[in-house]
């Protein structure tokens, strides 16, 4: 059963890569397209049925062959099948004498159907090419917002999964990054309110500020303050442009790892789900004082950002951060997914499940299993811990 949901997870990710790419992958064997086999088998089947069924004039069904080809093959292949369908029809109508001829109306039907199929294939292929171009643009955007992280980046083992609730989308408002620097390694995970390009724009603005300040600023509180200021500036700009998303905000968790403090981390929580510390000893919520989301500090007087907390974190504990796609996942009965409980059972059964890569896969599969693969929000699962922990730890 668990393997089934891993398969669903891969299918969801494949859908996120685009329907065109997924269809081409399904219709390929060892990198070679076999889409032509389906209309060919249909044509052979129709011809065979017409030969063996003398009382039923099924040869006119060859009009379906170029139609099927138009749906899955290229323009040239569709044109070839359109011509072959006409040839087979004429041959069957004039050579096979086991029934009366269907005459000119049937020939016009097959010829016209083939011509329409070729035009339909040309329109479809043109649309797919435009979609693939837009996919390339979206990929470039994703690499900017969710840039690839090298193995062991900043002295941390990490793993991440991002699943879009919209299978046509490739990026959303969820974001994460790791930034090493002279003052330690900082981690940022967050979720911008709302969807669409506005959410992507906001996430990119926050990540740009994080990558600069996390490297240069020695105090994590200053990094947090700069993120808050950047969010307010971004909101002011979008509002001045007259955009409807000028009141957008973001929840986030900012974590600081320091080589001088190997048993603790610094944490700032901006209205986000508190991180979980997962290790062989069990699962616990990281004790950190939460505050308002980014962009909402003007609603209260006093400190503009939440305080920096310094909770203990053992060397063999992994920090797990998830977005609303996990915490708000529901089953058909409306019950929320309790990922902490499932993680606790998995780690108790096998402590190696606390490793970032296994932990992320566990939460991803559990979320998809709980909601039956129907995500209602973009889903991010991010796990990180200090390097040097044994693989079975």
């Amino acid at each position: 059963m668990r393997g089934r949901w891993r398969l669903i997870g891969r299918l969801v990710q494949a859908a996120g890569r685009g329907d065109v790419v997924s269809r081409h992958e399904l219709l390929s064997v060892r990198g070679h397209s076999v889409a032509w086999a389906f209309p060919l088998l249909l044509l052979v089947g129709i011809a065979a049925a017409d030969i063996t069924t003398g009382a039923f004039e099924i040869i006119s069904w060859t009009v379906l062959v170029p139609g099927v080809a138009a749906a899955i093959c290229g323009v040239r292949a569709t044109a070839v099948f359109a011509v072959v369908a006409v040839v087979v029809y004429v041959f069957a109508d004039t050579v096979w004498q086991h029934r009366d001829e269907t005459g000119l109306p049937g020939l016009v039907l097959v010829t016209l159907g083939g011509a329409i199929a070729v035009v339909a294939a040309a329109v479809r292929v043109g649309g797919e090419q435009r979609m693939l171009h837009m996919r390339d643009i979206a990929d470039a955007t994703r690499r900017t917002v969710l840039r690839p992280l090298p193995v062991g980046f900043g002295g941390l083992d990490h793993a991440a999964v991002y699943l879009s609730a919209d299978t046509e989308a490739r990026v959303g408002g969820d974001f994460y990054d790791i930034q090493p620097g002279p003052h330690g390694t900082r981690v940022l995970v967050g979720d911008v309110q709302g969807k669409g390009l506005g959410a992507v724009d906001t996430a990119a603005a926050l990540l740009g500020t994080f990558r600069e300040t996390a490297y240069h600023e020695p105090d994590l509180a200053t990094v947090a303050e700069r993120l808050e200021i950047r969010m307010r500036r971004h909101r002011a700009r979008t509002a001045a442009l007259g955009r409807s998303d000028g009141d957008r905000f973001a929840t986030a968790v900012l974590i600081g790892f320091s080589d001088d403090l190997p048993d603790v981390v610094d944490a700032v929580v901006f209205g986000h789900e508190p991180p979980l510390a997962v290790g062989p000893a069990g699962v616990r919520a990281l004790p950190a004082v939460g505050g308002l989301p980014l962009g909402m500090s003007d609603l209260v007087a006093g400190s503009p950002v939440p305080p920096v907390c310094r909770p203990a974190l053992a060397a063999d504990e992994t920090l797990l951060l998830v977005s609303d796609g996990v915490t708000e996942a529901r089953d058909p009965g409306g019950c929320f997914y309790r990922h902490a409980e499932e993680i606790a059972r998995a780690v108790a059964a096998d402590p190696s499940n606390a490793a970032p890569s296994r932990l992320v896969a566990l939460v991803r599969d559990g979320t998809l299993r709980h909601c039956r693969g129907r995500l209602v929000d973009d889903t991010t699962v991010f796990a990180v811990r200090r390097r040097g922990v044994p693989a079975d730890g």
Side-chain angles (χ1 to χ4, degrees):
M1 180 64 72
R2 182 171 295 179
R4 171 191 172 191
W5 290 106
R6 287 197 183 98
L7 176 60
I8 290 178
R10 289 193 291 268
L11 291 176
V12 171
Q13 289 176 305
R17 294 199 303 272
D19 291 340
V20 176
V21 177
S22 301
R23 181 169 62 251
H24 288 177
E25 290 178 351
L26 291 174
L27 296 176
S28 298
V29 175
R30 297 181 179 178
H32 299 284
S33 175
V34 294
W36 53 269
F38 295 94
L40 179 61
L41 290 174
L42 178 61
L43 181 61
V44 171
I46 291 173
D50 185 73
I51 293 174
T52 58
T53 310
F56 183 42
E57 298 174 357
I58 199 174
I59 195 62
S60 295
W61 288 21
T62 52
V63 71
L64 298 175
V65 173
V68 172
I72 58 177
C73 298
V75 178
R76 290 183 180 179
T78 302
V80 169
F81 277 110
V83 173
V84 171
V86 172
V87 170
V88 170
Y89 176 84
V90 172
F91 185 84
D93 209 33
T94 58
V95 177
W96 299 333
Q97 299 298 326
H98 63 281
R99 54 163 173 74
D100 295 333
E101 294 184 6
T102 57
L104 183 62
L107 178 61
V108 171
L109 174 66
V110 175
T111 303
L112 184 60
I116 294 174
V118 172
V119 174
V123 173
R124 177 184 62 81
V125 170
E128 288 181 351
Q129 291 175 344
R130 289 190 296 272
M131 184 179 296
L132 290 173
H133 178 65
M134 293 303 296
R135 186 200 68 170
D136 293 338
I137 296 175
D139 278 341
T141 303
R142 181 175 61 178
R143 286 192 295 270
T144 300
V145 178
L146 302 179
R147 63 180 181 178
L149 298 174
V151 175
F153 194 47
L156 302 175
D157 288 325
H158 57 82
V161 166
Y162 171 76
L163 300 176
S164 175
D166 182 1
T167 58
E168 297 296 327
R170 302 178 65 80
V171 290
D174 290 4
F175 57 92
Y176 56 83
D177 203 3
I178 297 175
Q179 181 58 61
H183 310 291
T185 300
R186 276 74 185 265
V187 176
L188 179 66
V189 178
D191 181 5
V192 176
Q193 173 263 337
K195 300 181 182 298
L197 292 178
V200 177
D201 185 30
T202 303
L206 290 172
L207 285 172
T209 298
F210 167 73
R211 290 163 185 168
E212 288 300 312
T213 59
Y215 181 87
H216 292 288
E217 295 295 339
D219 189 356
L220 195 68
T222 304
V223 180
E225 185 176 357
R226 294 291 180 84
L227 288 171
E228 173 62 27
I229 293 172
R230 184 69 181 93
M231 187 66 193
R232 295 208 308 265
R233 289 173 54 202
H234 183 77
R235 289 178 57 184
R237 182 180 68 87
T238 55
L241 290 173
R243 286 166 40 179
S244 59
D245 58 352
D247 59 347
R248 205 181 287 275
F249 62 87
T251 63
V253 177
L254 178 63
I255 303 291
F257 292 87
S258 174
D259 293 337
D260 298 332
L261 300 170
D263 299 324
V264 299
V265 292
D266 291 330
V268 182
V269 180
F270 294 93
H272 200 277
E273 180 78 11
L276 294 178
V278 182
V283 179
R284 61 185 178 88
L286 198 70
V289 178
L292 292 175
L294 289 165
M296 302 184 68
S297 62
D298 53 350
L299 299 180
V300 297
S303 176
V305 297
V308 177
C309 302
R310 183 166 285 177
L313 184 70
D316 59 356
E317 285 187 312
T318 298
L319 279 183
L320 175 69
L321 302 103
V322 301
S323 67
D324 291 345
V326 175
T327 58
E328 296 183 2
R330 302 192 187 198
D331 63 13
C335 297
F336 289 104
Y337 175 47
R338 300 180 181 274
H339 64 290
E341 296 180 3
E342 182 165 338
I343 293 170
R345 289 192 294 268
V347 173
D350 184 359
S352 64
N353 283 322
S357 58
R358 299 188 64 171
L359 189 58
V360 163
L362 178 69
V363 177
R364 177 201 63 199
D365 296 343
T367 302
L368 292 170
R369 180 172 60 250
H370 187 80
C371 68
R372 305 298 191 268
R374 298 178 180 177
L375 300 172
V376 297
D377 200 356
D378 293 343
T379 301
T380 295
V381 186
F382 188 87
V384 61
R385 74 177 176 188
R386 290 184 172 90
R387 301 210 79 182
V389 180
D392 59 349

